[in-house]
Amino acid sequence: MDKKRVAVPLVCHGHSRPVVDLFYSPVTTDGFFLISASKDSNPMLRNGETGDWIGTFEGHKGAVWSCCLDTNALRAATGSADFTAYELIISLLHSFEHKHIVRASAFSEDTHLLLTGGIEKILRMYDLNRPDAPPTEVDKSPGSVRTVAWLHSDQTILSSCTDMGGVRLWDIRSGKIVQTLETESSVTSAEVSQDGRYITTADGSTVKFWDANYFGLVKSYNMPCTVESASLEPKYGNKFIAGGEDMWIRVFDFHTGEEIACNKGHHGPVHCVRFSPGGESYASGSEDGTIRIWQTGPLTQDDAEALTANGSAGKVKATAEEVSRKIEGFQIEDEGNPREKEEAGNE
């Protein structure tokens, strides 16, 4: 008798409050890694394939809204409601002070710059080779910054706002907006595809795909609910995932918009979804405080049991041994923050 095929995710526990951002590193000699941001103020680093916990970055005093890893997976950056953006290296910390909540951060492709944005409506670029130098700022954003990303070999940055529609593309040489991709609702998720060909956005109940070089709208699909995040499969680009308020993660055909699969398991709205760099799995983060890693194809019951034994236990072992050795015992010291506000962690 054929075994029943079921979709069983790896469940990664550890966060005590909603997971609001996820980021996969590219594939490195040690594998690939997944970092998560949560309102519990403690970003976590995991093995991207198994979900095994590697380490927790401590030090923020408010909700952490964004996280990212550089192309070598040697540095992490986080943006928080405590008015700081941290650049985290295994044994070194830089804290970049802001005047309000930092909602978005991104390393440049060459890893030399860190881009931040937030409630201040200012996009800042920090030179990581000179972390004490003042940042470069572009023209003031028309609204509070929700997402940021780099494209065109670090010559262009994109941003979206929490309080208005559209994605704005900035030329870093002039510091001016050169193009706006129009959307009816505010864009809650913006992702540049691995090959640099598409920009994937989620706004309201719509997922859109834009040509990243000519900025035309390629495809637009209406979703069954309000979605917060979407991600395009990086290897073949033939499907995409979306998650939102109905707690389900749906898989769609990129070319037709047909729903291929609907994965249930979260117990709260899905705030973020991301494909792994090879497209063999994807991760989702939810209001329920968990991260779930889903295999691209269905699993047999035997596969599911093996994966559960290996990955769902969470903080058991890290298969990326070198990174695990470096990060062992790592803890950011509490340096305090004179601008900290009592309500910062709840915003």
Side-chain angles (χ1 to χ4, degrees), residues 140-345:
K140 192 170 183 179
S141 170
S144 299
V145 178
R146 174 68 180 263
T147 67
V148 296
W150 297 84
L151 66 162
H152 303 155
S153 300
D154 301 333
Q155 296 304 303
T156 306
I157 58 178
L158 66 80
S159 68
S160 69
C161 300
T162 60
D163 44 5
M164 63 180 64
V167 172
R168 286 149 193 88
L169 297 152
W170 309 72
D171 185 302
I172 66 167
R173 292 160 292 190
S174 66
K176 306 291 186 182
I177 296 173
V178 294
Q179 187 79 26
T180 299
L181 311 180
E182 299 290 349
T183 64
E184 291 186 8
S185 304
S186 61
V187 172
T188 53
S189 170
E191 175 191 74
V192 179
S193 63
Q194 192 167 275
D195 61 5
R197 184 178 178 185
Y198 297 113
I199 300 169
T200 304
T201 62
D203 70 287
S205 58
T206 304
V207 173
K208 294 181 174 67
F209 298 92
W210 311 81
D211 188 302
N213 296 305
Y214 299 100
F215 309 127
L217 180 62
V218 178
K219 293 182 181 295
S220 178
Y221 296 120
N222 292 324
M223 298 287 103
C225 71
T226 299
V227 293
E228 285 198 45
S229 185
S231 182
L232 179 65
E233 194 279 326
K235 190 172 183 180
Y236 302 106
N238 57 358
K239 54 190 167 187
F240 67 96
I241 52 175
E245 65 179 15
D246 69 358
M247 303 183 286
W248 299 349
I249 299 91
R250 289 182 166 90
V251 185
F252 297 90
D253 184 288
F254 169 77
H255 300 288
T256 66
E258 178 185 359
E259 184 176 308
I260 301 170
C262 182
N263 294 321
K264 307 173 184 180
H266 281 297
H267 302 289
V270 176
H271 297 308
C272 44
V273 294
R274 284 292 177 263
F275 263 105
S276 65
E280 65 279 351
S281 61
Y282 49 91
S284 55
S286 168
E287 182 75 16
D288 64 17
T290 67
I291 300 164
R292 294 173 189 259
I293 298 177
W294 310 80
Q295 299 301 309
T296 301
L299 307 174
T300 66
Q301 192 63 43
D302 287 347
D303 292 334
E305 291 171 0
L307 285 171
T308 300
N310 183 45
S312 294
K315 304 179 182 181
V316 178
K317 68 183 184 68
T319 58
E321 294 181 358
E322 181 177 349
V323 174
S324 183
R325 276 200 307 275
K326 290 178 181 178
I327 203 169
E328 185 177 1
F330 173 60
Q331 179 174 338
I332 301 172
E333 294 182 359
D334 182 359
E335 297 179 342
N337 186 342
R339 292 175 178 164
E340 180 193 0
K341 294 183 180 294
E342 181 179 353
E343 68 275 11

Side-chain angles (χ1 to χ4, degrees), residues 17 39 61-63 81-83 101 337-347:
R17 296 198 63 201
K39 292 183 180 181
K61 300 182 185 305
D82 63 10
F83 304 175
I101 296 170
N337 186 342
R339 292 175 178 164
E340 180 193 0
K341 294 183 180 294
E342 181 179 353
E343 68 275 11
N346 297 319
E347 292 192 53

